C-alpha cells in the first residue's frame, strides 16, 4: 500500500501521553483522507511505554513500533524514524502533545503547494519555566549567529519533510546529530508555519539541563568551527598584548620604574594564559572526541524490535 504520511514520534517514558497521542493523530490524519502510518520509536523507556506501544500496534496496524535496545537519545530516535518511514511526506512530532497534531494539516497544505521542508515555528510556548524559555531563546539565537547554515530560530524538530529530503538525510550518518540543522543544511524549498506550542499533557520534560547543554554542544560543533576560531582569536590577542607589553615594561624598568615588579603580576598573567590554554584544549577535545566517535563507526542505534512489515 502506498503511504502518504509517516508520522514519527520519539517516545521516552511517555506512558500517560501515548493513548492521547494516538487518538489525536488518528483523528487528524483520518480527516486528511489520505493513507498514513504512525511510527512510535521507543527510546529505551522504562515506565511501561514499550508494552503500551506494542498493545496499540496490536490494535491498529497503522502503528509501526520501533523498539530500541536502550536509550539512544531523542535525536537518534528521530533518525530511526526516518529510516523506517515509508511515506511520501515525513512528519516529526513530540509525543507529549506540545506539538498539536492538528498543525500537521497546515504543514501538509504547504507541502502540497510545493514546499519540501515545512518547519513549525513556535510563536508562543505554554507551560514552560522561564529558565527553559530564556535558555531556548538564547540557544536558537546563538546557533543562528555562529553556524554557517541558517537554522531557523524558535523552531524545534516538529516539521514535515518531502521524501526527497528524507532520502538525503538518511545518507548523513553523523553520530552527534542535530536534525534541525541537518534539514536546513540540505537546502530544498523550505518554509515556516507558526504555531502555539502547548504545555505537556502529562509527565515531565526528558530534557534536564545537562541534556540541553549536550544538544547545544552537538549543534554548534556539527555546524560550526566558531569555538576553534575563538581559541585562535585569544591566542593572537594574548600574543599581541605581549608584543606591546614587553618593550613598554623593558623601557619602564630601564628608566628605573618599579611599577611591574612583584609576583602578583606574574601570577595573574600565568593563571590567565593557563586558563586560556586549558579552555582551548577543552574545545579541541570536544572536536577530537567527536572525530573519535565517527572513526569507531558503530551503528547509530540498536533495534530490539522492528516493525514486521519492514524491508530495512
Ligand atoms: N525523548 C526521547 N529520548 C530522550 C529524551 C526525549 O525520545 O532521551 C522524546 C520525548 O519522549 C518527547 C520528545 O523526545 O517525545 C521531546 O522531549 P521533551 O518533551 O522531554 O523535551 P522538551 O519538550 O521538554 O524540550
Ligand atoms: Mg516536550
Amino acid at each position: 500500500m502506498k503511504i502518504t504520511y509517516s508520522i514519527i514520534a520519539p517516545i521516552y517514558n511517555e506512558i500517560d501521553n501515548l493513548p492521547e497521542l494516538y487518538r489525536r493523530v488518528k483523528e487528524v490524519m483520518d480527516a486528511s483522507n489520505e493513507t498514513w502510518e504512525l511510527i512510535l520509536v521507543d527510546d529505551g523507556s522504562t515506565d511501561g511505554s514499550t508494552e503500551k506501544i506494542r498493545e496499540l500496534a496490536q490494535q491498529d496496524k497503522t502503528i509501526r513500533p520501533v523498539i530500541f535496545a536502550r536509550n539512544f537519545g531523542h535525536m537518534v530516535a528521530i533518525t530511526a524514524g526516518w529510516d523506517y518511514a515509508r511515506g511520501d511526506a515525513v512528519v516529526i512530532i513530540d509525543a507529549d502533545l506540545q506539538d498539536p497534531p492538528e498543525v500537521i494539516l497546515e504543514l501538509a497544505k504547504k507541502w502540497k503547494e510545493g514546499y519540501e521542508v515545512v518547519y513549525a515555528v513556535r510563536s508562543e510556548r505554554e507551560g514552560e519555566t522561564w529558565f527553559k524559555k530564556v535558555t531556548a531563546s538564547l540557544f536558537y539565537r546563538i546557533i543562528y549567529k555562529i553556524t554557517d547554515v541558517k537554522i531557523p530560530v524558535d523552531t524545534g524538530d516538529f516539521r514535515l519533510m518531502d521524501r526527497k529530503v528524507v532520502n538525503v538525510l538518511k545518507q548523513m550518518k553523523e553520530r552527534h546529530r542535530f536534525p534541525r540543522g541537518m534539514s536546513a543544511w540540505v537546502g530544498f524549498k523550505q518554509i515556516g508555519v507558526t504555531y502555539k506550542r502547548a504545555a505537556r499533557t502529562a509527565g515531565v520534560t526528558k530534557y534536564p539541563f545537562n541534556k540541553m547543554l549536550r544538544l547545544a554542544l552537538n549543534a554548534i560543533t556539527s555546524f560550526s568551527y566558531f569555538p576553534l576560531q575563538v581559541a585562535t582569536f585569544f591566542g593572537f590577542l594574548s600574543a599581541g598584548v605581549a608584543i606591546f607589553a614587553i618593550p613598554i615594561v623593558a623601557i619602564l624598568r630601564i628608566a628605573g620604574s618599579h611599577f611591574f615588579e612583584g609576583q602578583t603580576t606574574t601570577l595573574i598573567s600565568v593563571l590567565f594564559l593557563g586558563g586560556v590554554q586549558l579552555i582551548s584544549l577543552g574545545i579541541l577535545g570536544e572536536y577530537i572526541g567527536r572525530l573519535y566517535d565517527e572513526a569507531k563507526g558503530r551503528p547509530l542505534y540498536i533495534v530490539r524490535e522492528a516493525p514486521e512489515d519492514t524491508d530495512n
Side-chain angles (χ1 to χ4, degrees):
M1 186 178 64
K2 208 173 108 45
I3 289 166
T4 309
Y5 298 106
S6 294
I7 318 292
I8 300 169
I11 315 282
Y12 181 51
N13 295 343
E14 304 282 8
I15 187 159
D16 294 329
N17 287 316
L18 276 167
E20 186 64 4
L21 172 74
Y22 166 59
R23 192 189 66 76
R24 278 183 55 192
V25 167
K26 183 171 168 55
E27 196 177 287
V28 170
M29 296 318 294
D30 281 348
S32 76
N33 284 324
E34 274 165 300
T35 49
W36 58 280
E37 61 180 9
L38 173 61
I39 301 179
L40 297 175
V41 185
D42 174 38
D43 186 15
S45 297
T46 52
D47 68 341
S49 295
T50 318
E51 290 70 28
K52 188 86 211 162
I53 291 171
R54 285 195 195 111
E55 192 188 308
L56 288 171
Q58 281 292 322
Q59 289 167 18
D60 186 343
K61 290 294 163 204
T62 49
I63 295 187
R64 299 176 69 225
V66 178
I67 317 265
F68 277 1
R70 65 166 169 85
N71 179 252
F72 281 92
H74 181 196
M75 303 294 129
V76 177
I78 290 175
T79 309
W82 292 344
D83 290 342
Y84 285 94
R86 301 173 296 183
D88 296 332
V90 174
V91 178
I92 303 158
I93 193 166
D94 277 2
D96 57 1
L97 294 163
Q98 284 197 280
D99 308 328
E102 295 69 28
V103 179
I104 297 175
L105 297 183
E106 289 173 44
L107 305 181
K109 214 168 105 200
K110 290 286 172 199
W111 175 56
K112 295 209 161 138
E113 285 172 21
Y115 291 97
E116 288 144 324
V117 176
V118 190
Y119 50 86
V121 187
R122 303 160 177 179
S123 62
E124 269 178 65
R125 301 167 74 116
E126 275 179 354
E128 281 175 316
T129 59
W130 67 266
F131 181 74
K132 177 97 180 185
K133 285 186 194 167
V134 170
T135 46
S137 169
L138 254 175
F139 165 68
Y140 289 121
R141 274 147 194 90
I142 292 174
I143 300 282
Y144 188 83
K145 263 243 140 32
I146 70 173
T147 54
D148 312 326
V149 195
K150 287 302 159 229
I151 302 170
V153 298
D154 298 327
T155 303
D157 296 296
F158 188 24
R159 62 189 58 222
L160 178 150
M161 292 183 291
D162 188 83
R163 168 58 38 198
K164 285 196 286 285
V165 179
V166 176
N167 286 346
V168 176
L169 291 172
K170 279 168 73 172
Q171 291 166 24
M172 293 163 69
K173 292 292 180 197
E174 61 212 64
R175 312 198 54 78
H176 298 275
R177 7 189 76 223
F178 189 54
R180 296 161 223 190
M182 294 163 72
S183 94
W185 183 85
V186 294
F188 290 100
K189 251 181 101 179
Q190 309 218 355
I191 196 169
V193 167
T194 56
Y195 79 111
K196 207 167 116 185
R197 188 156 160 91
R200 246 181 183 276
T201 27
V204 292
T205 174
K206 308 298 171 329
Y207 266 95
F209 185 65
N210 62 344
K211 266 197 191 170
M212 290 199 312
L213 204 64
R214 212 173 332 144
L215 180 74
L217 264 176
N218 285 340
I220 294 169
T221 51
S222 299
F223 288 95
S224 152
Y225 297 126
F226 183 78
L228 292 171
Q229 289 158 343
V230 170
T232 316
F233 170 80
F234 272 105
F236 274 109
L237 187 73
S238 50
V241 170
I243 284 173
F244 282 105
I246 291 165
I248 293 172
V249 174
I251 291 166
L252 282 176
R253 289 299 288 277
I254 291 165
S257 160
H258 293 282
F259 192 71
F260 285 104
E261 258 182 12
Q263 284 179 3
T264 328
T265 340
T266 322
L267 207 67
I268 288 172
S269 45
V270 167
L271 279 179
F272 175 75
L273 259 186
V276 170
Q277 281 174 345
L278 284 179
I279 292 169
S280 308
L281 267 179
I283 294 172
L284 260 180
E286 287 292 335
Y287 281 87
I288 293 173
R290 281 168 173 74
L291 255 175
Y292 180 49
D293 281 339
E294 296 293 347
K296 280 189 283 197
R298 291 185 185 163
L300 255 178
Y301 55 86
I302 300 163
V303 166
R304 183 207 297 278
E305 286 165 48
E308 287 156 15
D309 50 1
T310 194
D311 41 26
N312 280 60

